[in-house]
Amino acid sequence: MAFTYVCPFCPLGCDDLPWGGNGDWAQIAECERASAELASFKHGTVARLHDRLIDDQSLVVDDFLRRLKLPAVPILSVNQPTIEESKRLVDWLVQSRIRLSSAERDPSERAFANTIGRDGNVTATLGDVYRHAKSIWVLGDPDETFPRLNKQLDRLKATVVRSRQIDSLYLSRLSEPADWLLRDYVGIIVASNAFAESEETIAADLLSRLIAKLNAPLDDRRMRRAVAIRLSSDENLSSVMRWTTNHSLDRYSTDLAAHIQVGSPRRADFSARPPVKLQIGGIDFGPDAADAYLPAGQPGIDLAGTTIRLDGSVTLPLTRQVETHLPSRGTLLGQVIASLSADSASPIETGNKR
């Protein structure tokens, strides 16, 4: 009997992925990202050093890492960590055993997050916007990070306006907003690359002021409502960091490129950056993406976990669908971190080939 489950591959947290009851892997026609991740997991991957596949039973951490020459405190890029993984990452960050790379974090996302942190934000859940908004304004390009968002918006009755990138001049001219911004409920969705390059900070500030201005009385009895939803790919990690330390991720981040990638790279275009030294889990794109690769279990597929939907509205369970005996990403990363400061080698278990 077929059933559905929560997708673990992006922060949108779609809960309608089909799974064949007889163990068949369903193709997710509406989402290229989920289809690619599932196909990679189904076909299986093995450990790799440069262009050479390695017998996982003979792999030793120290020998493996000695060839990669990782620093004692590596810089990480992490894609879609669960709440459980985020707790371990926060511990390592606070202990100064790792740092986070912000080199690939979208500047528009960072600028709007900083503005919200300073000025506050009038927000709502995606579900509320879907059901009640009369107009929805999508800023930036959500397709790469949230592949199904635009398809979901196309099914709505609301007027949907898309702006690939806006600058401060455009926002300043909205002192007299267009008619579609003057509806009684407007939802503004801020995705990656929402603001013009080098204008992210001032554009985020102007957008925040516009949202405050739009929240005004329509008449003596009615208020006009405008809300902003920030599409964050780091909701789990940033939430756990705030709960635990009351700090933002910026405190433990650097603009330097990552040494280690956990999960699939956020972007499949590797021409703009050198390969990382090591990738743990996710899709192995080969030496162009990472000098070395270690296969790992995926929460929501062969491991259980918990995640927060990108708007922070709800915590979702990631259930295990199959058994592979692969170690978790956190287990492998913990062994790598320990090995970087250990005096002796320790075997690394990568499980059976799939």
Side-chain angles (χ1 to χ4, degrees):
M1 180 178 178
F3 59 92
T4 59
Y5 64 102
V6 175
C7 177
F9 300 119
C10 102
L12 200 56
C14 300
D15 57 4
D16 58 351
L17 263 68
W19 188 277
N22 59 357
D24 292 340
W25 298 72
Q27 287 296 312
I28 314 302
E30 286 192 336
C31 183
E32 294 181 0
R33 180 170 180 175
S35 294
E37 293 275 4
L38 286 172
S40 173
F41 201 86
K42 177 182 178 180
H43 297 143
T45 50
V46 296
R48 173 182 57 78
L49 181 62
H50 303 300
D51 58 356
R52 181 169 63 90
L53 300 182
I54 297 177
D55 181 0
D56 50 8
Q57 299 300 324
S58 66
L59 191 60
V60 177
V61 170
D62 277 349
D63 178 60
F64 198 75
L65 298 182
R66 192 178 299 114
R67 303 186 190 190
L68 296 176
K69 298 181 180 179
L70 283 166
V73 181
I75 300 171
L76 271 62
S77 176
V78 186
N79 190 2
Q80 192 63 7
T82 63
I83 292 178
E84 294 79 11
E85 290 173 325
S86 296
K87 290 178 180 178
R88 299 188 71 179
L89 288 167
V90 167
D91 286 342
W92 289 325
L93 286 166
V94 172
Q95 295 166 10
S96 298
R97 302 185 73 181
I98 60 172
R99 288 191 294 168
L100 287 179
S101 173
S102 59
E104 292 190 22
R105 190 179 177 193
D106 178 62
S108 295
E109 180 182 322
R110 293 178 65 182
F112 195 53
N114 290 336
T115 298
I116 290 173
R118 183 190 68 233
D119 299 340
N121 185 33
V122 181
T123 189
T125 66
L126 271 177
D128 188 74
V129 169
Y130 285 176
R131 286 189 295 270
H132 302 299
K134 299 299 188 293
S135 294
I136 299 175
W137 189 16
V138 182
L139 303 180
D141 180 15
D143 286 341
E144 187 171 43
T145 309
F146 313 98
R148 297 183 71 189
L149 180 67
N150 274 322
K151 294 182 176 67
Q152 293 175 2
L153 294 174
D154 288 340
R155 301 189 184 112
L156 304 179
K157 295 181 179 179
T159 299
V160 179
V161 177
R162 294 176 172 89
S163 299
R164 280 293 181 180
Q165 200 172 66
I166 57 174
D167 56 21
S168 56
L169 179 60
Y170 179 85
L171 284 166
S172 63
R173 288 174 175 171
L174 289 178
S175 56
E176 295 297 330
D179 290 342
W180 55 270
L181 275 176
L182 295 175
R183 306 284 179 84
D184 56 357
Y185 188 168
V186 178
I188 300 174
I189 298 176
V190 183
S192 60
N193 297 313
F195 308 127
E197 186 177 357
S198 302
E199 294 191 24
E200 292 90 358
T201 299
I202 187 171
D205 185 59
L206 289 171
L207 179 62
S208 179
R209 295 181 190 180
L210 175 64
I211 293 168
K213 180 179 180 179
L214 291 175
N215 282 279
L218 283 169
D219 52 42
D220 292 340
R221 296 184 178 182
R222 295 183 301 160
M223 282 287 294
R224 183 170 61 227
R225 188 182 186 203
V227 301
I229 296 178
R230 178 175 63 92
L231 299 186
S232 171
S233 56
D234 298 316
E235 185 63 37
N236 287 333
L237 186 54
S238 61
S239 294
V240 173
M241 177 62 76
R242 290 194 301 269
W243 301 338
T244 307
T245 69
N246 203 30
H247 296 305
S248 72
L249 293 177
D250 289 341
R251 184 184 181 94
Y252 301 94
S253 299
T254 173
D255 290 333
L256 297 175
H259 302 113
I260 299 175
Q261 171 70 47
V262 180
S264 298
R266 296 191 183 190
R267 294 177 176 84
D269 179 12
F270 310 113
S271 60
R273 64 164 177 82
V276 297
K277 294 288 186 181
L278 173 65
Q279 180 181 330
I280 299 175
I283 300 174
D284 181 12
F285 289 97
D288 288 342
D291 291 338
Y293 174 83
L294 290 175
Q298 170 64 52
I301 301 298
D302 64 336
L303 297 170
T306 316
T307 189
I308 301 174
R309 185 163 280 158
L310 60 87
D311 57 7
S313 61
V314 64
T315 301
L316 300 170
L318 299 174
T319 56
R320 186 178 66 183
Q321 315 303 328
V322 294
E323 184 78 41
T324 65
H325 303 291
L326 284 170
S328 69
R329 300 180 298 195
T331 296
L332 290 179
L333 181 59
Q335 292 184 20
V336 169
I337 292 171
S339 177
L340 291 175
S341 57
D343 294 329
S344 59
S346 58
I348 191 168
E349 298 178 1
T350 59
N352 298 322
K353 297 180 183 178
R354 286 172 287 175

